[in-house]
Coordinates of all heavy atoms in Angstrom, one line a residue:
T1 N -1.0 -10.0 -11.5 CA -0.7 -8.8 -12.3 C 0.0 -9.2 -13.6 O -0.3 -8.7 -14.7 CB 0.0 -7.7 -11.5 OG1 -0.8 -7.3 -10.4 CG2 0.3 -6.5 -12.4
Y2 N 1.1 -10.0 -13.4 CA 1.9 -10.4 -14.5 C 1.0 -11.1 -15.6 O 1.1 -10.8 -16.8 CB 3.0 -11.3 -14.1 CG 3.7 -12.0 -15.2 CD1 4.6 -11.3 -16.0 CD2 3.5 -13.3 -15.5 CE1 5.3 -11.9 -17.1 CE2 4.1 -14.0 -16.6 CZ 5.0 -13.3 -17.4 OH 5.6 -13.9 -18.4
H3 N 0.2 -12.1 -15.2 CA -0.6 -12.9 -16.1 C -1.6 -12.0 -16.8 O -1.9 -12.1 -18.0 CB -1.2 -14.0 -15.4 CG -0.3 -15.1 -14.9 ND1 0.4 -15.9 -15.8 CD2 0.2 -15.4 -13.7 CE1 1.2 -16.7 -15.1 NE2 1.1 -16.4 -13.8
R4 N -2.2 -11.1 -16.1 CA -3.1 -10.1 -16.7 C -2.5 -9.3 -17.7 O -3.0 -9.1 -18.8 CB -3.8 -9.3 -15.6 CG -4.9 -8.4 -16.0 CD -5.7 -7.7 -14.9 NE -4.8 -7.0 -14.0 CZ -4.5 -7.2 -12.8 NH1 -5.1 -8.3 -12.2 NH2 -3.8 -6.5 -12.1
A5 N -1.3 -8.7 -17.4 CA -0.5 -7.9 -18.3 C -0.1 -8.7 -19.6 O -0.2 -8.2 -20.7 CB 0.7 -7.3 -17.6
A6 N 0.3 -9.9 -19.3 CA 0.8 -10.8 -20.5 C -0.4 -11.0 -21.4 O -0.3 -11.0 -22.6 CB 1.4 -12.1 -20.0
A7 N -1.6 -11.3 -20.8 CA -2.8 -11.5 -21.7 C -3.1 -10.3 -22.4 O -3.5 -10.3 -23.6 CB -3.9 -12.0 -20.8
Q8 N -3.0 -9.1 -21.8 CA -3.3 -7.9 -22.4 C -2.4 -7.7 -23.6 O -2.8 -7.2 -24.7 CB -3.1 -6.7 -21.4 CG -3.7 -5.4 -21.8 CD -3.6 -4.4 -20.6 OE1 -2.8 -4.5 -19.7 NE2 -4.4 -3.4 -20.7
A9 N -1.1 -7.9 -23.4 CA -0.1 -7.8 -24.5 C -0.4 -8.7 -25.7 O -0.3 -8.4 -26.8 CB 1.3 -8.1 -24.0
E10 N -0.9 -10.0 -25.3 CA -1.2 -10.9 -26.4 C -2.4 -10.5 -27.2 O -2.5 -10.8 -28.4 CB -1.5 -12.3 -25.7 CG -0.3 -13.0 -25.3 CD -0.6 -14.4 -24.6 OE1 -1.7 -14.9 -24.8 OE2 0.3 -14.9 -23.9
R11 N -3.3 -9.7 -26.6 CA -4.4 -9.1 -27.3 C -4.1 -7.9 -28.1 O -4.9 -7.3 -28.8 CB -5.5 -8.7 -26.3 CG -6.2 -9.9 -25.6 CD -7.5 -9.4 -24.9 NE -7.3 -8.3 -24.0 CZ -6.9 -8.5 -22.7 NH1 -6.8 -9.7 -22.1 NH2 -6.8 -7.4 -21.9
G12 N -2.8 -7.5 -28.1 CA -2.3 -6.4 -28.9 C -2.3 -5.1 -28.1 O -2.0 -4.0 -28.7
E13 N -2.7 -5.1 -26.8 CA -2.7 -3.9 -26.0 C -1.3 -3.8 -25.3 O -1.2 -3.9 -24.1 CB -3.8 -4.0 -25.0 CG -5.2 -4.2 -25.7 CD -6.3 -4.5 -24.7 OE1 -6.1 -4.3 -23.5 OE2 -7.3 -5.1 -25.1
V14 N -0.3 -3.6 -26.1 CA 1.1 -3.7 -25.6 C 1.4 -2.5 -24.7 O 2.1 -2.7 -23.7 CB 2.1 -3.8 -26.8 CG1 3.5 -3.9 -26.3 CG2 1.7 -5.1 -27.6
R15 N 1.1 -1.3 -25.1 CA 1.5 -0.1 -24.3 C 0.9 -0.2 -22.9 O 1.7 0.0 -21.9 CB 1.1 1.2 -25.0 CG 1.8 2.4 -24.4 CD 1.9 3.6 -25.3 NE 2.5 3.4 -26.6 CZ 3.8 3.4 -26.8 NH1 4.7 3.5 -25.8 NH2 4.3 3.2 -28.0
P16 N -0.4 -0.4 -22.7 CA -0.9 -0.5 -21.3 C -0.3 -1.7 -20.6 O 0.0 -1.6 -19.4 CB -2.4 -0.7 -21.5 CG -2.7 -0.6 -22.9 CD -1.5 -0.5 -23.7
A17 N -0.1 -2.8 -21.3 CA 0.5 -4.0 -20.7 C 1.9 -3.7 -20.2 O 2.3 -4.1 -19.1 CB 0.5 -5.2 -21.6
L18 N 2.7 -2.9 -21.0 CA 4.0 -2.5 -20.6 C 4.1 -1.8 -19.3 O 5.0 -2.0 -18.4 CB 4.7 -1.7 -21.7 CG 6.1 -1.2 -21.4 CD1 7.0 -2.4 -21.1 CD2 6.6 -0.4 -22.6
R19 N 3.1 -0.9 -19.0 CA 3.1 -0.2 -17.7 C 3.0 -1.2 -16.6 O 3.8 -1.1 -15.6 CB 1.9 0.8 -17.7 CG 2.2 2.0 -18.5 CD 1.1 3.1 -18.2 NE -0.2 2.7 -18.7 CZ -0.6 2.9 -20.0 NH1 0.2 3.5 -20.9 NH2 -1.8 2.6 -20.3
E20 N 2.2 -2.2 -16.7 CA 2.1 -3.2 -15.6 C 3.3 -4.1 -15.6 O 3.8 -4.4 -14.5 CB 0.8 -4.1 -15.9 CG -0.5 -3.3 -15.7 CD -0.6 -2.7 -14.3 OE1 -0.4 -3.5 -13.3 OE2 -1.0 -1.5 -14.2
L21 N 3.8 -4.5 -16.7 CA 5.0 -5.4 -16.7 C 6.2 -4.6 -16.1 O 7.0 -5.2 -15.4 CB 5.3 -5.8 -18.2 CG 4.3 -6.7 -18.8 CD1 4.6 -6.9 -20.3 CD2 4.3 -8.1 -18.1
A22 N 6.4 -3.4 -16.4 CA 7.5 -2.6 -15.8 C 7.3 -2.5 -14.3 O 8.3 -2.6 -13.6 CB 7.5 -1.2 -16.5
R23 N 6.1 -2.3 -13.9 CA 5.8 -2.2 -12.4 C 6.1 -3.5 -11.7 O 6.8 -3.6 -10.7 CB 4.4 -1.8 -12.2 CG 4.1 -1.6 -10.7 CD 2.7 -1.0 -10.5 NE 1.6 -1.8 -10.9 CZ 1.1 -2.9 -10.2 NH1 1.6 -3.2 -9.0 NH2 0.2 -3.6 -10.7
V24 N 5.7 -4.6 -12.3 CA 6.0 -6.0 -11.8 C 7.5 -6.2 -11.7 O 8.0 -6.7 -10.7 CB 5.3 -7.1 -12.6 CG1 5.7 -8.4 -12.1 CG2 3.8 -6.9 -12.4
A25 N 8.2 -5.9 -12.8 CA 9.7 -6.1 -12.8 C 10.4 -5.2 -11.8 O 11.3 -5.6 -11.2 CB 10.2 -5.7 -14.2
R26 N 9.8 -4.0 -11.6 CA 10.4 -3.1 -10.6 C 10.1 -3.6 -9.1 O 11.0 -3.6 -8.3 CB 9.8 -1.7 -10.7 CG 10.5 -0.6 -10.0 CD 9.9 0.8 -10.3 NE 8.5 0.9 -10.4 CZ 7.7 1.0 -11.5 NH1 8.4 1.1 -12.7 NH2 6.4 1.0 -11.5
D27 N 8.9 -4.2 -8.9 CA 8.5 -4.7 -7.6 C 9.2 -6.0 -7.3 O 9.4 -6.3 -6.1 CB 7.0 -4.8 -7.5 CG 6.3 -3.5 -7.5 OD1 6.9 -2.4 -7.3 OD2 5.0 -3.5 -7.7
F28 N 9.5 -6.8 -8.3 CA 10.1 -8.1 -8.1 C 11.4 -8.2 -9.0 O 11.4 -9.0 -10.0 CB 9.1 -9.2 -8.4 CG 7.9 -9.2 -7.6 CD1 6.8 -8.6 -8.0 CD2 7.9 -9.8 -6.3 CE1 5.6 -8.5 -7.2 CE2 6.8 -9.8 -5.5 CZ 5.7 -9.1 -5.9
P29 N 12.4 -7.4 -8.7 CA 13.6 -7.3 -9.6 C 14.4 -8.6 -9.7 O 15.2 -8.8 -10.6 CB 14.4 -6.2 -8.9 CG 14.0 -6.2 -7.5 CD 12.6 -6.6 -7.5
E30 N 14.1 -9.6 -8.9 CA 14.8 -10.9 -8.9 C 14.2 -11.9 -9.9 O 14.8 -13.0 -10.1 CB 14.9 -11.5 -7.5 CG 13.6 -12.0 -6.9 CD 12.6 -11.0 -6.4 OE1 12.8 -9.8 -6.5 OE2 11.5 -11.4 -5.9
V31 N 13.1 -11.6 -10.5 CA 12.4 -12.5 -11.4 C 12.7 -12.2 -12.9 O 12.3 -11.2 -13.4 CB 10.9 -12.5 -11.2 CG1 10.2 -13.5 -12.1 CG2 10.6 -12.8 -9.7
A32 N 13.5 -13.0 -13.5 CA 14.0 -12.8 -14.8 C 12.8 -12.7 -15.9 O 12.9 -11.8 -16.7 CB 14.9 -13.9 -15.3
K33 N 11.8 -13.5 -15.7 CA 10.7 -13.5 -16.8 C 10.0 -12.2 -16.8 O 9.5 -11.8 -17.8 CB 9.8 -14.7 -16.6 CG 8.8 -14.6 -15.5 CD 7.9 -15.8 -15.5 CE 6.8 -15.8 -14.4 NZ 5.9 -16.9 -14.5
Y34 N 9.9 -11.5 -15.7 CA 9.3 -10.2 -15.7 C 10.1 -9.2 -16.5 O 9.5 -8.4 -17.2 CB 9.1 -9.7 -14.2 CG 8.2 -10.5 -13.4 CD1 8.2 -10.4 -12.0 CD2 7.4 -11.5 -13.9 CE1 7.4 -11.1 -11.2 CE2 6.5 -12.3 -13.1 CZ 6.5 -12.1 -11.8 OH 5.7 -12.9 -11.0
H35 N 11.4 -9.2 -16.4 CA 12.2 -8.3 -17.2 C 12.2 -8.7 -18.6 O 12.1 -7.8 -19.5 CB 13.7 -8.4 -16.7 CG 13.8 -7.8 -15.3 ND1 13.8 -6.5 -15.0 CD2 14.0 -8.5 -14.1 CE1 14.0 -6.3 -13.7 NE2 14.1 -7.5 -13.1
R36 N 12.1 -10.0 -18.9 CA 12.0 -10.5 -20.3 C 10.7 -10.0 -20.9 O 10.7 -9.5 -22.0 CB 12.1 -12.0 -20.4 CG 11.9 -12.5 -21.8 CD 11.8 -14.0 -22.0 NE 11.8 -14.8 -20.9 CZ 10.7 -15.4 -20.4 NH1 9.5 -15.2 -21.0 NH2 10.7 -16.3 -19.4
A37 N 9.6 -10.1 -20.2 CA 8.3 -9.7 -20.7 C 8.3 -8.2 -21.0 O 7.8 -7.7 -22.0 CB 7.2 -10.1 -19.8
A38 N 8.9 -7.4 -20.1 CA 9.0 -6.0 -20.3 C 9.8 -5.7 -21.5 O 9.5 -4.8 -22.4 CB 9.5 -5.3 -19.1
G39 N 10.9 -6.4 -21.7 CA 11.8 -6.2 -22.8 C 11.1 -6.6 -24.1 O 11.3 -5.9 -25.1
Q40 N 10.3 -7.6 -24.1 CA 9.6 -8.0 -25.3 C 8.6 -6.9 -25.7 O 8.4 -6.6 -26.9 CB 8.9 -9.3 -25.1 CG 8.2 -9.8 -26.4 CD 7.7 -11.2 -26.2 OE1 7.7 -11.8 -25.1 NE2 7.2 -11.8 -27.3
A41 N 7.9 -6.4 -24.7 CA 6.9 -5.3 -25.0 C 7.6 -4.1 -25.5 O 7.2 -3.5 -26.5 CB 6.2 -4.9 -23.7
H42 N 8.8 -3.7 -25.0 CA 9.5 -2.6 -25.5 C 10.0 -2.9 -27.0 O 9.9 -2.0 -27.8 CB 10.8 -2.3 -24.7 CG 10.5 -1.5 -23.4 ND1 10.1 -0.2 -23.5 CD2 10.7 -1.8 -22.1 CE1 10.0 0.2 -22.2 NE2 10.4 -0.8 -21.4
L43 N 10.4 -4.1 -27.2 CA 10.8 -4.5 -28.6 C 9.6 -4.3 -29.6 O 9.8 -3.8 -30.6 CB 11.4 -5.9 -28.6 CG 11.9 -6.4 -29.9 CD1 13.1 -5.6 -30.3 CD2 12.4 -7.9 -29.7
V44 N 8.5 -4.8 -29.2 CA 7.3 -4.7 -30.0 C 7.0 -3.3 -30.3 O 6.6 -2.9 -31.5 CB 6.1 -5.4 -29.4 CG1 4.8 -5.1 -30.1 CG2 6.3 -6.9 -29.4
L45 N 7.2 -2.4 -29.3 CA 6.9 -1.0 -29.5 C 8.0 -0.2 -30.2 O 7.8 1.0 -30.5 CB 6.5 -0.4 -28.1 CG 5.3 -0.9 -27.5 CD1 5.2 -0.4 -26.0 CD2 4.0 -0.5 -28.3
G46 N 9.1 -0.9 -30.5 CA 10.2 -0.2 -31.2 C 11.1 0.6 -30.2 O 12.0 1.3 -30.7
D47 N 11.0 0.4 -28.9 CA 11.8 1.0 -27.9 C 13.0 0.2 -27.7 O 13.2 -0.5 -26.7 CB 11.1 1.3 -26.6 CG 9.8 2.0 -26.8 OD1 9.7 2.9 -27.7 OD2 8.9 1.8 -26.0
L48 N 14.0 0.2 -28.7 CA 15.1 -0.8 -28.7 C 16.0 -0.6 -27.5 O 16.5 -1.6 -27.0 CB 15.8 -0.7 -30.0 CG 14.9 -1.0 -31.3 CD1 15.8 -1.0 -32.5 CD2 14.2 -2.3 -31.1
E49 N 16.3 0.6 -27.1 CA 17.2 0.8 -26.0 C 16.7 0.3 -24.7 O 17.4 -0.5 -24.0 CB 17.5 2.3 -25.8 CG 18.7 2.6 -24.9 CD 20.0 2.3 -25.5 OE1 20.2 2.4 -26.8 OE2 20.9 1.9 -24.8
Q50 N 15.4 0.5 -24.4 CA 14.8 0.0 -23.2 C 14.6 -1.5 -23.3 O 14.8 -2.2 -22.3 CB 13.4 0.6 -23.0 CG 13.5 2.1 -22.7 CD 13.4 3.0 -24.0 OE1 13.6 2.5 -25.1 NE2 13.0 4.2 -23.8
A51 N 14.3 -2.0 -24.5 CA 14.2 -3.5 -24.7 C 15.5 -4.1 -24.4 O 15.6 -5.1 -23.7 CB 13.8 -3.8 -26.1
E52 N 16.6 -3.6 -24.9 CA 17.9 -4.2 -24.6 C 18.3 -4.2 -23.2 O 18.7 -5.2 -22.6 CB 19.0 -3.4 -25.4 CG 20.4 -4.0 -25.3 CD 21.5 -3.3 -26.1 OE1 21.2 -2.3 -26.6 OE2 22.6 -3.9 -26.2
D53 N 18.0 -3.1 -22.5 CA 18.3 -3.0 -21.1 C 17.5 -4.1 -20.3 O 18.1 -4.7 -19.4 CB 17.9 -1.6 -20.5 CG 18.9 -0.5 -21.0 OD1 20.0 -0.8 -21.5 OD2 18.5 0.7 -20.9
A54 N 16.2 -4.2 -20.6 CA 15.4 -5.2 -19.9 C 15.8 -6.6 -20.1 O 15.9 -7.4 -19.2 CB 13.9 -5.0 -20.2
L55 N 16.1 -6.9 -21.4 CA 16.6 -8.2 -21.7 C 17.9 -8.6 -21.1 O 18.1 -9.7 -20.7 CB 16.6 -8.4 -23.3 CG 15.2 -8.3 -23.9 CD1 15.4 -8.2 -25.4 CD2 14.4 -9.5 -23.5
L56 N 18.8 -7.6 -21.1 CA 20.1 -7.9 -20.4 C 19.9 -8.1 -18.9 O 20.6 -8.9 -18.3 CB 21.1 -6.7 -20.7 CG 21.6 -6.6 -22.1 CD1 22.4 -5.4 -22.4 CD2 22.4 -7.9 -22.5
R57 N 19.0 -7.4 -18.3 CA 18.7 -7.6 -16.9 C 18.2 -9.0 -16.7 O 18.6 -9.7 -15.8 CB 17.7 -6.6 -16.3 CG 18.3 -5.3 -15.9 CD 17.3 -4.4 -15.1 NE 16.1 -4.1 -15.8 CZ 16.0 -3.1 -16.7 NH1 17.0 -2.3 -17.0 NH2 14.8 -2.8 -17.3
A58 N 17.3 -9.5 -17.6 CA 16.7 -10.8 -17.5 C 17.8 -11.8 -17.6 O 17.9 -12.8 -16.9 CB 15.7 -11.0 -18.6
L59 N 18.8 -11.6 -18.5 CA 19.8 -12.6 -18.8 C 20.9 -12.6 -17.6 O 21.5 -13.6 -17.4 CB 20.5 -12.3 -20.1 CG 19.6 -12.7 -21.3 CD1 20.1 -12.2 -22.6 CD2 19.4 -14.3 -21.3
R60 N 21.0 -11.4 -17.0 CA 21.9 -11.5 -15.8 C 21.3 -12.4 -14.7 O 22.1 -13.0 -14.0 CB 22.1 -10.0 -15.3 CG 23.2 -9.3 -16.0 CD 23.7 -8.0 -15.3 NE 22.6 -7.0 -15.2 CZ 22.3 -6.1 -16.2 NH1 23.0 -6.2 -17.3 NH2 21.4 -5.3 -16.0
L61 N 20.0 -12.4 -14.6 CA 19.4 -13.2 -13.6 C 19.3 -14.7 -14.0 O 19.4 -15.6 -13.2 CB 17.9 -12.7 -13.3 CG 17.9 -11.3 -12.7 CD1 16.5 -10.7 -12.8 CD2 18.3 -11.4 -11.2
D62 N 19.1 -14.9 -15.3 CA 19.0 -16.3 -15.8 C 19.6 -16.3 -17.2 O 19.0 -16.1 -18.2 CB 17.5 -16.7 -16.0 CG 17.3 -18.1 -16.5 OD1 18.3 -18.8 -16.7 OD2 16.1 -18.5 -16.6
P63 N 20.9 -16.6 -17.2 CA 21.7 -16.6 -18.5 C 21.2 -17.6 -19.5 O 21.6 -17.6 -20.7 CB 23.1 -16.9 -18.1 CG 23.2 -16.7 -16.6 CD 21.8 -16.8 -16.1
R64 N 20.4 -18.6 -19.1 CA 20.0 -19.7 -20.0 C 18.5 -19.5 -20.5 O 17.9 -20.4 -21.0 CB 20.1 -21.0 -19.3 CG 21.5 -21.4 -18.9 CD 21.5 -22.7 -18.3 NE 22.9 -22.9 -17.7 CZ 23.3 -24.0 -17.2 NH1 22.4 -25.1 -17.1 NH2 24.5 -24.2 -16.7
D65 N 18.0 -18.3 -20.2 CA 16.6 -18.0 -20.6 C 16.6 -17.9 -22.2 O 17.0 -16.9 -22.8 CB 16.1 -16.7 -20.0 CG 14.7 -16.3 -20.4 OD1 14.2 -16.7 -21.4 OD2 14.1 -15.6 -19.6
A66 N 16.1 -19.0 -22.8 CA 16.1 -19.1 -24.2 C 15.3 -18.0 -24.9 O 15.7 -17.5 -26.0 CB 15.6 -20.5 -24.7
D67 N 14.2 -17.7 -24.3 CA 13.3 -16.6 -24.9 C 14.0 -15.3 -24.9 O 14.0 -14.5 -25.9 CB 12.0 -16.6 -24.2 CG 11.1 -17.8 -24.5 OD1 11.3 -18.4 -25.6 OD2 10.3 -18.1 -23.6
A68 N 14.7 -15.0 -23.8 CA 15.4 -13.7 -23.7 C 16.6 -13.7 -24.6 O 16.9 -12.6 -25.3 CB 15.9 -13.5 -22.2
L69 N 17.3 -14.8 -24.8 CA 18.4 -14.9 -25.7 C 17.9 -14.6 -27.2 O 18.5 -13.9 -27.9 CB 19.1 -16.2 -25.6 CG 19.9 -16.4 -24.3 CD1 20.2 -17.9 -24.2 CD2 21.2 -15.6 -24.4
T70 N 16.8 -15.3 -27.5 CA 16.2 -15.1 -28.9 C 15.8 -13.7 -29.1 O 16.1 -13.1 -30.2 CB 15.0 -16.1 -29.0 OG1 15.5 -17.4 -28.9 CG2 14.4 -15.9 -30.4
L71 N 15.1 -13.1 -28.1 CA 14.6 -11.7 -28.3 C 15.8 -10.8 -28.4 O 15.8 -9.8 -29.2 CB 13.8 -11.3 -27.1 CG 12.4 -12.0 -27.0 CD1 11.8 -11.8 -25.6 CD2 11.5 -11.4 -28.1
L72 N 16.8 -11.0 -27.6 CA 18.0 -10.1 -27.7 C 18.7 -10.3 -29.1 O 19.1 -9.3 -29.7 CB 19.0 -10.4 -26.6 CG 20.1 -9.4 -26.4 CD1 19.7 -8.0 -26.2 CD2 21.1 -9.8 -25.3
G73 N 18.8 -11.5 -29.6 CA 19.3 -11.7 -30.9 C 18.5 -11.0 -32.0 O 19.0 -10.4 -32.9
N74 N 17.2 -11.1 -31.9 CA 16.3 -10.4 -32.8 C 16.5 -8.9 -32.7 O 16.5 -8.2 -33.8 CB 14.8 -10.7 -32.5 CG 14.5 -12.1 -32.9 OD1 15.2 -12.8 -33.6 ND2 13.4 -12.6 -32.3
L75 N 16.7 -8.4 -31.5 CA 16.9 -6.9 -31.3 C 18.2 -6.5 -32.0 O 18.3 -5.5 -32.7 CB 17.0 -6.6 -29.8 CG 17.2 -5.1 -29.5 CD1 16.4 -4.8 -28.2 CD2 18.6 -4.8 -29.3
Y76 N 19.3 -7.3 -31.8 CA 20.6 -7.0 -32.4 C 20.5 -7.0 -33.9 O 21.1 -6.2 -34.6 CB 21.7 -7.9 -31.9 CG 22.1 -7.6 -30.5 CD1 22.6 -8.6 -29.7 CD2 22.0 -6.3 -29.9 CE1 23.0 -8.4 -28.4 CE2 22.4 -6.1 -28.6 CZ 22.9 -7.1 -27.8 OH 23.3 -6.8 -26.6
Q77 N 19.7 -8.0 -34.4 CA 19.5 -8.1 -35.9 C 18.8 -6.8 -36.4 O 19.2 -6.3 -37.4 CB 18.7 -9.3 -36.2 CG 18.6 -9.6 -37.7 CD 20.0 -9.9 -38.4 OE1 20.9 -10.4 -37.8 NE2 20.1 -9.4 -39.6
K78 N 17.8 -6.4 -35.7 CA 17.1 -5.1 -36.1 C 18.0 -3.9 -36.1 O 17.8 -3.0 -36.9 CB 15.9 -4.8 -35.1 CG 14.7 -5.6 -35.4 CD 13.6 -5.1 -34.5 CE 12.3 -5.7 -34.9 NZ 11.1 -5.0 -34.6
R79 N 19.0 -3.9 -35.2 CA 19.9 -2.8 -35.1 C 21.1 -2.9 -36.0 O 22.0 -2.1 -36.0 CB 20.5 -2.7 -33.7 CG 19.5 -2.2 -32.7 CD 20.1 -2.0 -31.3 NE 19.6 -0.8 -30.7 CZ 20.0 -0.4 -29.5 NH1 20.8 -1.1 -28.8 NH2 19.5 0.6 -29.0
G80 N 21.0 -4.0 -36.9 CA 22.1 -4.1 -37.9 C 23.4 -4.7 -37.2 O 24.5 -4.3 -37.7
R81 N 23.3 -5.5 -36.2 CA 24.4 -6.0 -35.5 C 24.4 -7.6 -35.6 O 24.3 -8.2 -34.6 CB 24.4 -5.6 -34.1 CG 24.6 -4.1 -33.9 CD 24.4 -3.6 -32.5 NE 25.1 -4.3 -31.5 CZ 24.9 -4.1 -30.2 NH1 24.1 -3.1 -29.8 NH2 25.6 -4.7 -29.3
P82 N 24.5 -8.1 -36.8 CA 24.3 -9.6 -37.0 C 25.4 -10.3 -36.2 O 25.2 -11.4 -35.8 CB 24.4 -9.8 -38.5 CG 25.0 -8.6 -39.0 CD 24.7 -7.5 -38.1
A83 N 26.6 -9.8 -36.1 CA 27.7 -10.5 -35.4 C 27.4 -10.7 -33.9 O 27.8 -11.7 -33.3 CB 29.0 -9.7 -35.5
D84 N 26.6 -9.7 -33.4 CA 26.1 -9.9 -32.0 C 24.9 -10.8 -31.9 O 24.7 -11.5 -30.9 CB 25.8 -8.5 -31.4 CG 27.0 -7.7 -31.2 OD1 28.1 -8.2 -30.9 OD2 26.9 -6.4 -31.3
A85 N 24.1 -10.9 -32.9 CA 22.9 -11.6 -32.9 C 23.2 -13.1 -33.1 O 22.5 -14.0 -32.4 CB 22.0 -11.2 -34.0
I86 N 24.1 -13.5 -34.0 CA 24.3 -14.9 -34.3 C 24.6 -15.8 -33.1 O 24.0 -16.8 -33.0 CB 25.4 -15.0 -35.4 CG1 24.8 -14.4 -36.7 CG2 25.8 -16.4 -35.6 CD1 25.9 -14.2 -37.8
P87 N 25.5 -15.4 -32.2 CA 25.8 -16.3 -31.1 C 24.6 -16.5 -30.1 O 24.5 -17.5 -29.4 CB 26.9 -15.7 -30.3 CG 27.3 -14.5 -31.1 CD 26.4 -14.2 -32.2
L88 N 23.6 -15.6 -30.2 CA 22.5 -15.7 -29.3 C 21.5 -16.7 -29.8 O 20.7 -17.3 -29.1 CB 21.9 -14.3 -29.0 CG 22.8 -13.3 -28.4 CD1 22.2 -12.0 -28.4 CD2 23.1 -13.8 -27.0

């Protein structure tokens, strides 16, 4: 399901992919990359609050997830919070 949803998102079908990614993250809450993928989809869709929540969940599970750190930094930059973005 995760790989199918990720491929769907890569094709630009982000909203339907997000439904699957959110379900996978809910069903397997211990997997950081599922939360990161859902966060990235939220970020692409401009749902910044949900994106931040999902990325922070991913980072609680794997604090060294470079992709989640980068995405969260990009999110903070979009929100006009460069001081929070720079260390990430």
Side-chain angles (χ1 to χ4, degrees):
T1 300
Y2 168 77
H3 293 291
R4 187 173 54 246
Q8 193 174 26
E10 286 178 19
R11 290 191 307 269
E13 301 168 20
V14 179
R15 194 161 302 280
L18 176 57
R19 285 191 290 275
E20 293 299 314
L21 293 169
R23 186 172 61 82
V24 170
R26 192 174 46 253
D27 291 348
F28 300 94
E30 71 282 3
V31 181
K33 75 177 182 177
Y34 297 165
H35 295 284
R36 175 185 9 101
Q40 184 173 7
H42 279 297
L43 185 60
V44 167
L45 293 171
D47 303 329
L48 301 185
E49 193 70 33
Q50 294 91 339
E52 183 177 12
D53 290 344
L55 292 169
L56 289 173
R57 277 193 300 278
L59 288 168
R60 277 194 294 278
L61 293 166
D62 182 2
R64 296 180 190 188
D65 183 331
D67 292 329
L69 290 165
T70 300
L71 289 165
L72 189 59
N74 291 342
L75 182 147
Y76 287 151
Q77 187 63 34
K78 278 187 173 205
R79 286 186 142 177
R81 296 170 50 187
D84 292 327
I86 290 169
L88 299 171

